[in-house]
Amino acid sequence: MLVVGDDGAEQAVPVTAISGGRFGPGPAQIYADWGEFTEWAATLTTDTLRTHACHLDRALLGAPSPAPRQVFAVGLNYRAHAAESGFDAPDHFPPVFTKYVCSFSGPHTTVVLPADGKVDWEVELVVIIGRKLHRGEPGEVWDAVAGLTVGQDISERVLQLRGPAPQFGLGKSLPGFAPQGPWLVTPDEFANPDDLELGCSIDGEDMQKGRTRDLIFSVPQLLSGLSQTVTLYPGDVVFTGTPPGVGIGREPQRFLRPGETLSSWIEGIGVLHQKFIGER
């Protein structure tokens, strides 16, 4: 899908149809040919896009990369968040864990809160990989990025922190705990992709606000560092860390409640809306 329209929201063009079957139908095939896809997309005129445009229902949107080979999530990548979590800021490389794909969802969703849980919010800049990267230098990273999107690393703290060792992957992977979207925006669309404002609110009350320039390990440093150990593949998803303001770090602690709506945003990308209901 290519989004068109003055507000970038109301109409879209099915990629498979307009490309004559050259790209798609699934996102994975498009990411695998990302270089060719972006070259082709650059040749499309506004008139061509509008001719093939159809109505877009945002409620049907899913995660921009719904079935990646790998998902990387990064902890303690803002100094103030490390401090509120009771940890020293990492000096060599931040802790890395995963969110399982079963937690992936789109930008407008309803999420079930487990009955005995303490569910927290963590707004994050999410990077989608567009080209295979192994042992890449920081200067190569942006060329390997397909785009940026908004993500929430929703976290159930009871399961996450239950001993004898923390269960980060499980505590952060309940159904709907990784909403992403609403759009994938290519890095060239930003004046400075390393300095974006992000934040979230609950029922209109601000909970988090920060800028990605305050990441301890910037996107180029983070992806370069990951690629020294692993290979990043097209379509892979990387959650880059959250700024301060999470519920577990507050005094008193504050967690999500049934009936509340969490709105998460990044400038130049868009807004997520998650409504929470209790477990029946």
Side-chain angles (χ1 to χ4, degrees):
M1 176 186 72
L2 291 171
V3 176
V4 297
D6 293 337
D7 62 357
E10 300 302 324
Q11 294 182 308
V13 175
V15 167
T16 303
I18 197 174
S19 69
R22 179 180 175 187
F23 299 106
Q29 293 94 326
I30 294 176
Y31 290 122
D33 298 318
W34 188 253
E36 292 183 22
F37 172 73
T38 53
E39 289 180 6
W40 165 79
T43 68
L44 298 175
T45 66
T46 300
D47 287 343
T48 300
L49 289 170
R50 292 191 184 280
T51 299
H52 293 83
C54 57
H55 175 70
L56 173 63
D57 183 353
R58 288 192 180 204
L60 299 180
L61 292 174
S65 182
R69 292 194 198 186
Q70 303 174 112
V71 183
F72 301 91
V74 175
L76 309 180
N77 204 14
Y78 289 81
R79 295 187 186 280
H81 174 58
E84 73 176 353
S85 302
F87 293 96
D88 293 331
D91 54 8
H92 177 63
F93 202 68
V96 179
F97 53 96
T98 192
K99 288 176 77 75
Y100 297 106
V101 174
C102 60
S103 67
F104 276 32
S105 68
H108 299 269
T109 59
T110 297
V111 182
V112 177
L113 296 171
D116 298 323
K118 295 180 178 180
V119 177
D120 208 343
W121 55 88
E122 295 190 12
V123 64
E124 307 202 12
L125 176 70
V126 174
V127 179
I128 309 298
I129 303 299
R131 179 173 61 80
K132 182 178 176 181
L133 185 69
H134 183 61
R135 296 185 177 176
E137 296 299 321
E140 302 175 57
V141 162
W142 281 119
D143 288 338
V145 170
L148 305 176
T149 195
V150 187
Q152 259 289 345
D153 176 20
I154 299 175
S155 307
E156 200 288 283
R157 300 302 192 187
V158 175
L159 175 57
Q160 176 190 343
L161 301 176
R162 181 182 296 152
Q167 293 277 13
F168 275 67
L170 293 181
K172 293 169 173 280
S173 295
L174 280 72
F177 273 37
Q180 297 158 64
W183 319 119
L184 182 75
V185 181
T186 54
D188 60 290
E189 292 292 325
F190 301 98
N192 182 359
D194 285 306
D195 184 18
L196 304 175
E197 189 173 69
L198 73 167
C200 71
S201 64
I202 298 176
D203 292 341
E205 180 185 355
D206 285 344
M207 294 292 149
Q208 290 181 279
K209 186 174 288 187
R211 299 197 70 92
T212 59
R213 69 186 178 206
D214 295 325
L215 285 164
I216 300 173
F217 296 88
S218 67
V219 170
Q221 293 172 317
L222 190 60
L223 269 58
S224 173
L226 285 171
S227 78
Q228 303 308 309
T229 300
V230 302
T231 300
L232 301 176
Y233 294 102
D236 281 357
V237 174
V238 183
F239 285 74
T240 61
T242 195
V246 299
I248 199 171
R250 294 172 176 265
E251 185 59 49
Q253 293 180 340
R254 158 77 154 98
F255 299 104
L256 288 158
R257 309 180 188 105
E260 293 182 328
T261 297
L262 176 68
S263 299
S264 314
W265 52 271
I266 299 178
E267 66 170 318
I269 302 177
V271 186
L272 310 178
H273 295 288
Q274 273 62 56
K275 182 175 181 179
F276 294 87
I277 61 174
E279 188 174 57
R280 296 179 180 177

